[in-house]
């Protein structure tokens, strides 16, 4: 396995070698520096993928000091320099060491020193000190992320003695004992799953056994912030194989740890449904004719895909409610917000897809010829801008519950065509032809909550009478509500 540098990478490596010589000339007593590109860039280049994730590891000096020397060298040679962004260590965000980020020859580069880490039993926050290349490699999450590219010798360095072979064979394993690795920093549990699904690699047997240990799960619950869990879930949902991601979570008995249920929750469904519905969502998105009937402005975007996958991951909570102080709330939104610490909008999207999909399923299952235009329009308005993903989620749910693919594609294809034929794709944007203030004046009453019933009737009339005028609507209002 070898790495072929792009012209820009060759230029950068050549510059950095000159910088180390320049530093040596400034201080001959300074140990000669060796610079290595570390981690993901090496892995991706060996897999034949381009990468711009340039992390330069340095021995005998901090990353920030090296970045300053790089800028000094560029200045003395009349070349452009950039501001150095000093990113302080932030263990809660998995930043255990200070990093310096700077643009060099047009490329964004992170400089950091080689390090070793020691952990205390109750914390995933390590004690960090300068380390050797081997110590730095062994403290990493998996062997394929522990490879170095020595920019001086142009050699690939595998200080774990397993990374290259694991990359060849498609194996994910920890560099050291997996139980201790996971107990030191349980976030590595989720990273193992994410990288296995990202590359379609197998998890090493010993690593696999450690993933399911009760003490590892307890540490995952106790030591890892929910923000970090949410970030990993987001990356899995947006990754190349979210189905493998959720299956690995389920196979290793980690669903309850990742998607932590709130107290007082009722009616959680089988966890395995998360895998089944995810499979069907991806089937609808990637191998279904339903999408071809969607007008181009409503085409499925990456954000729509992410929304659908997240709703599928959360499907066991689709009927669940949190009951507290006699109040009931949708559990799915609360899990997204509190257990994954994702945006409130993400929780709202998940709940909307779970709640609105049944209405589209009911329309698809029935006779569309008997469905009034106003009923179709109200379904669109009720789901709002989320109506397309809600409809697609309904199709996926039907597949999950056993309906045949041809039947589902026919039913939902006909539903989308009916919506388009009636010109209702943008019905959720339609404004009342007679607004609340005008309706109140017409009926001689004050605007307020009571006028909502009138506005609902106005919209139903508009949807049933797309060519109707404002004057005709006013007459409808008077005929319907004046006697009341």
């Amino acid at each position: 396995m070898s790495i072929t540098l792009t012209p820009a990478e060759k230029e950068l490596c050549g510059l950095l070698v000159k910088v180390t010589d320049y530093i040596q000339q400034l201080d001959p007593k300074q140990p000669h520096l060796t610079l290595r590109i570390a981690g993901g860039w090496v892995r991706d280049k060996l897999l034949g993928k381009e990468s711009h994730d340039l992390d330069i590891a340095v021995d005998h000096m901090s990353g920030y000091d090296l970045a300053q020397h790089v800028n000094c060298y560029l200045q003395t040679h009349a070349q452009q320099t950039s501001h150095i962004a000093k990113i302080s260590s932030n263990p809660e965000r998995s930043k255990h060491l200070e990093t310096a980020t700077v643009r060099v020859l047009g490329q964004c580069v992170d400089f950091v020193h080689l390090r070793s880490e020691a952990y205390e039993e109750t914390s995933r926050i390590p004690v960090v000190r300068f380390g050797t290349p081997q110590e730095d490699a062994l403290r990493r999450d998996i062997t394929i992320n522990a490879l170095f590219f020595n920019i001086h010798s142009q050699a690939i360095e595998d200080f774990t003695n397993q990374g290259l072979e694991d990359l060849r064979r498609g194996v994910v394993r920890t560099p050291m004992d997996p139980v201790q690795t996971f107990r030191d920093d349980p976030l590595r549990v989720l990273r193992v799953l994410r990288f296995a699904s990202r590359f379609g690699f197998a998890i090493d047997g010993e690593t696999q056994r450690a993933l399911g240990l009760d003490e590892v799960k307890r540490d995952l619950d106790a030591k890892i912030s929910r923000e970090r869990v949410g970030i990993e879930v987001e990356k899995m949902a947006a990754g190349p194989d979210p189905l493998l991601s959720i299956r690995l979570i389920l196979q290793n008995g980690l669903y309850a740890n990742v998607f932590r249920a709130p107290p007082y929750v009722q009616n959680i469904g089988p966890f395995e449904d998360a895998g089944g519905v995810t499979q069907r969502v991806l089937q609808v998105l990637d191998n279904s004719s339903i999408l071809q009937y969607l007008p181009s402005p409503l085409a499925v975007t990456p954000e729509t895909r992410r929304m659908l996958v997240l709703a599928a991951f959360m499907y066991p909570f689709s009927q669940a409610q949190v009951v507290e102080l006699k109040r009931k709330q949708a559990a799915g939104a609360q899990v997204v917000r509190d257990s994954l610490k994702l945006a409130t909008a993400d929780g709202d999207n998940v709940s909307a897809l779970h709640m609105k999909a049944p209405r589209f399923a009911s329309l698809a299952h029935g006779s569309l010829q008997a469905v009034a235009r106003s009923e179709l329009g109200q379904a669109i308005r009720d789901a709002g801008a989320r109506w397309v993903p809600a409809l697609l989620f309904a199709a996926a749910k039907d597949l999950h519950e056993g309906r045949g693919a041809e039947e589902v594609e026919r039913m939902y294809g006909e539903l989308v065509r009916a919506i388009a034929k009636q010109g209702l794709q943008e019905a959720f944007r339609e404004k009342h032809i007679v607004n609340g203030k005008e309706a109140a004046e017409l009926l001689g009453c004050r605007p307020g909550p009571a006028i909502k019933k009138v506005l609902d009737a106005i919209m139903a009339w508009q949807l049933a009478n797309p060519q109707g005028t404002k004057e005709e609507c006013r007459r409808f209002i008077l005929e319907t509500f004046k006697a009341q």
Side-chain angles (χ1 to χ4, degrees):
M1 301 180 83
S2 62
I3 287 176
T4 301
L5 298 178
T6 65
E9 290 165 345
K10 286 180 181 178
E11 184 182 15
L12 176 65
C13 288
L15 171 71
L16 292 176
V17 169
K18 292 176 182 177
V19 170
T20 60
D21 294 337
Y22 166 75
I23 294 170
Q24 189 72 33
Q25 291 170 7
L26 291 176
D27 184 4
K29 295 181 180 180
Q30 164 80 30
H32 199 283
L33 300 178
T34 300
L35 306 186
R36 297 171 170 90
I37 306 178
W41 180 92
V42 185
R43 177 201 66 222
D44 289 349
K45 294 287 283 191
L46 289 170
L47 289 172
K49 305 173 186 292
E50 286 306 309
S51 176
H52 302 287
D53 184 19
L54 284 163
D55 292 335
I56 308 296
V58 57
D59 52 4
H60 311 306
M61 180 179 286
S62 74
Y64 184 72
D65 287 344
L66 176 59
Q68 288 182 309
H69 281 298
V70 170
N71 267 355
C72 286
Y73 178 86
L74 291 171
Q75 284 179 334
T76 61
H77 290 76
Q79 291 181 269
Q80 185 177 357
T81 62
S82 298
H83 170 71
I84 301 171
K86 188 175 183 180
I87 303 171
S88 299
S89 63
N90 185 352
E92 286 304 315
R93 297 288 180 181
S94 282
K95 275 288 182 186
H96 299 313
L97 195 67
E98 177 183 280
T99 304
T101 300
V102 64
R103 292 194 72 82
V104 182
L105 300 178
Q107 299 186 75
C108 188
V109 182
D110 288 345
F111 293 102
V112 66
H113 69 68
L114 294 170
R115 64 194 189 266
S116 69
E117 298 174 347
Y119 290 84
E120 296 183 1
E121 186 174 340
T122 58
S123 174
R124 64 172 285 268
I125 300 173
V127 176
V128 177
R129 62 174 178 81
F130 278 81
T132 65
Q134 184 175 43
E135 287 174 328
D136 192 279
L138 292 175
R139 60 95 195 162
R140 291 177 181 261
D141 50 7
I142 54 178
T143 58
I144 62 172
N145 289 345
L147 298 166
F148 293 104
F149 178 76
N150 187 312
I151 69 169
H152 306 271
S153 65
Q154 305 278 290
I156 300 161
E157 298 174 334
D158 181 5
F159 291 99
T160 71
N161 295 316
Q162 299 179 99
L164 284 171
E165 184 61 21
D166 285 345
L167 202 60
R168 288 190 190 97
R169 294 176 53 231
V171 173
V172 172
R173 85 172 78 231
T174 60
M176 299 181 70
D177 172 62
V179 176
Q180 192 59 52
T181 296
F182 294 150
R183 298 208 67 185
D184 282 344
D185 184 356
L187 185 67
R188 292 166 177 161
V189 168
L190 301 184
R191 288 177 61 82
V192 163
L193 302 185
R194 177 162 63 84
F195 281 109
S197 65
R198 175 177 172 182
F199 296 114
F201 285 5
I203 299 174
D204 160 71
E206 191 176 348
T207 303
Q208 181 87 57
R209 286 188 289 275
L211 289 169
L213 294 176
D214 288 342
E215 58 264 39
V216 170
K217 294 177 184 178
R218 285 195 294 269
D219 285 342
L220 180 60
D221 285 338
K223 291 185 179 181
I224 303 301
S225 72
R226 300 314 298 179
E227 288 88 351
R228 292 304 307 169
V229 174
I231 288 169
E232 291 299 318
V233 169
E234 274 212 284
K235 289 180 178 179
M236 292 181 196
D241 196 344
L243 177 57
L244 181 54
S245 294
I246 194 66
R247 282 178 171 170
L248 288 171
I249 289 172
L250 291 165
Q251 288 167 10
N252 289 284
L254 291 162
Y255 190 89
N257 306 92
V258 174
F259 303 96
R260 186 188 292 171
Y264 314 111
V265 67
Q266 297 177 348
N267 301 324
I268 300 177
F271 291 163
E272 292 74 18
D273 282 350
V277 175
T278 300
Q279 179 182 1
R280 297 311 187 180
V281 159
L282 296 173
Q283 180 180 340
V284 168
L285 290 172
D286 299 332
N287 299 296
S288 168
S289 64
I290 300 171
L291 301 186
Q292 74 186 41
Y293 302 114
L294 293 172
S296 55
L298 298 174
V300 173
T301 64
E303 178 54 31
T304 304
R305 187 181 185 91
R306 174 182 172 278
M307 187 190 310
L308 281 160
V309 169
L310 192 58
F313 282 6
M314 299 296 304
Y315 188 74
F317 293 95
S318 60
Q319 302 298 317
Q321 292 182 317
V322 178
V323 181
E324 192 171 9
L325 299 177
K326 297 184 179 181
R327 293 179 57 207
K328 292 184 178 181
Q329 301 178 47
Q334 193 163 334
V335 172
V336 170
R337 186 182 68 243
D338 296 340
S339 293
L340 300 179
K341 297 296 183 183
L342 300 184
T344 300
D346 290 322
D348 292 343
N349 288 337
V350 165
S351 286
L353 266 57
H354 289 168
M355 294 170 62
K356 307 303 180 185
R359 187 167 185 179
F360 287 102
S362 178
L363 289 168
H365 298 167
S367 172
L368 288 171
Q369 293 180 343
V371 176
R373 184 180 189 275
S374 59
E375 186 177 351
L376 279 179
Q378 291 287 14
I380 301 291
R381 289 184 63 81
D382 185 44
R386 305 182 186 99
W387 78 264
V388 168
L391 181 147
L392 297 176
F393 197 77
K397 187 168 175 283
D398 273 353
L399 289 169
H400 175 66
E401 292 175 352
R403 286 184 182 265
E406 288 187 9
E407 180 187 14
V408 169
E409 290 188 19
R410 176 188 59 76
M411 290 190 307
Y412 286 89
E414 289 177 357
L415 177 56
V416 172
R417 287 196 296 272
I419 290 168
K421 183 178 180 181
Q422 296 285 2
L424 290 167
Q425 303 97 315
E426 301 285 324
F428 61 91
R429 301 186 191 278
E430 191 166 338
K431 295 182 179 180
H432 292 82
I433 194 170
V434 176
N435 64 36
K437 182 179 178 181
E438 292 170 331
E441 289 177 354
L442 186 65
L443 294 171
C445 63
R446 291 183 178 182
I451 209 71
K452 182 181 183 302
K453 181 180 177 181
V454 179
L455 290 173
D456 289 345
I458 290 171
M459 183 53 63
W461 181 88
Q462 283 180 231
L463 292 169
N465 300 274
Q467 305 303 319
T469 65
K470 187 169 185 175
E471 187 55 39
E472 289 171 334
C473 184
R474 286 168 63 86
R475 286 200 298 271
F476 161 77
I477 296 167
L478 288 171
E479 291 169 1
T480 306
F481 292 100
K482 192 62 175 176
Q484 300 178 23

